Amino acid sequence: MTTASFSGSNGAAKTVLVTGVSKGLGRALALELSKRGHTVIGCSRAQEKLNSLQSELAAPDRHLLLNVDVRSNSSVEELARLVMEKKVVPDIIVNNAGTINKNNRIWEVPAEEFDTVIDTNVKGVANVMRHFIPLMIPKRQGIIVNMSSGWGRSGAALVAPYCASKWAIEGLSKAVAKEMPDGFAVVALSPGVINTEMLQSCFGSSASGYQTPEAWSFKAATMILNLTAADNGASLTV
């Protein structure tokens, strides 16, 4: 398989913003995209993990990895300012940063923990869209992928805060899709069930029976790179 045949819909190199790149799906996706010749703008709150990832990316100097907390509007605003300054406005955004509550019934979930899930999974996505959509609009095309979950389309005991956050992402994505000009797509993308730290938090040792982030990232990158404006408003699954 040639690089061009799976790098994107037209084989052109893209600039892709991926939030939450320090571990799990975000890290695997960033590595896969860099391997295919695309430019990654990545952010995370874990500086040491960012440094480690930078050295592993193909052509490390081509990418921009920054310490950003998506829960903070001002932190995301600063990221957008730097991206504009360096003239690397993304063609694709993958709002991947997310967290989950410890398995507990809703009345046993501390208020602070509930807030962290909503602040990261919902407000974090809104913060990125608030500051990056205006940068993308002059390009007249762009793709925004908001990571959802099977639990954003169903319910599960003990993870009510997470379910609520992902149902919010489904609604947010469908609504923002109706606000975008022609040439753009906003989609909610469920990654499927992958062996990540978040899955281990819910499933314990049985998480090891599911596919790795590395195996997932090959399929996910191909799918994301081939999204077009025709997918606007869709709820998709890798």
Side-chain angles (χ1 to χ4, degrees):
M1 186 181 276
T2 64
T3 303
S5 68
F6 65 84
S7 64
S9 53
N10 56 8
K14 304 280 189 191
T15 298
V16 188
L17 168 63
V18 184
T19 66
V21 291
S22 66
K23 60 185 180 182
L25 303 186
R27 189 176 198 281
L29 185 61
L31 287 166
E32 181 64 31
L33 290 167
S34 78
K35 201 160 67 179
R36 298 189 191 194
H38 301 287
T39 297
V40 175
I41 305 167
C43 66
S44 155
R45 290 177 296 143
Q47 188 61 54
E48 280 183 22
K49 290 181 179 177
L50 285 174
N51 296 345
S52 159
L53 175 61
Q54 185 96 45
S55 66
E56 290 180 53
L57 291 168
D61 295 343
R62 191 176 63 229
H63 312 285
L64 183 64
L65 301 185
L66 294 162
N67 193 321
V68 173
D69 183 352
V70 295
R71 299 172 301 180
S72 160
N73 182 61
S74 59
S75 184
V76 175
E77 186 174 26
E78 175 64 11
L79 173 64
R81 190 189 64 73
L82 281 168
V83 161
M84 271 297 280
E85 202 175 86
K86 293 182 182 292
K87 298 182 169 61
V88 285
V89 174
D91 302 296
I92 302 170
I93 292 174
V94 182
N95 276 310
N96 164 76
T99 190
I100 197 165
N101 59 287
K102 289 192 186 76
N103 282 10
N104 255 326
R105 292 172 295 188
I106 190 66
W107 58 92
E108 294 163 337
V109 176
E112 301 75 26
E113 194 176 357
F114 191 96
D115 288 349
T116 298
V117 172
I118 299 301
D119 288 351
T120 307
N121 297 6
V122 184
K123 294 182 186 176
V125 172
N127 288 338
V128 172
M129 292 197 291
R130 177 181 301 115
H131 293 292
F132 279 87
I133 288 173
L135 306 190
M136 294 171 83
I137 284 175
K139 298 176 82 159
R140 298 179 182 273
Q141 59 180 18
I143 305 292
I144 297 169
V145 177
N146 296 328
M147 294 302 270
S148 181
S149 168
W151 286 340
R153 300 164 191 175
S154 65
L158 308 182
V159 286
Y162 183 79
C163 289
S165 74
K166 294 304 183 179
W167 277 81
I169 286 302
E170 293 281 335
L172 185 66
S173 301
K174 284 197 177 346
V176 177
K178 294 177 186 294
E179 298 173 353
M180 300 301 291
D182 290 346
F184 289 83
V186 180
V187 305
L189 180 64
S190 169
V193 187
I194 323 297
N195 181 13
T196 60
E197 282 180 26
M198 282 211 292
L199 194 73
Q200 290 156 22
S201 160
C202 310
F203 284 21
S205 59
S206 64
S208 63
Y210 294 90
Q211 68 177 319
T212 64
E214 293 70 32
W216 170 86
S217 68
F218 184 88
K219 292 179 286 187
T222 299
M223 185 176 186
I224 290 167
L225 290 164
N226 284 283
L227 291 170
T228 69
D231 296 300
N232 192 33
S235 287
L236 304 171
T237 303
V238 176

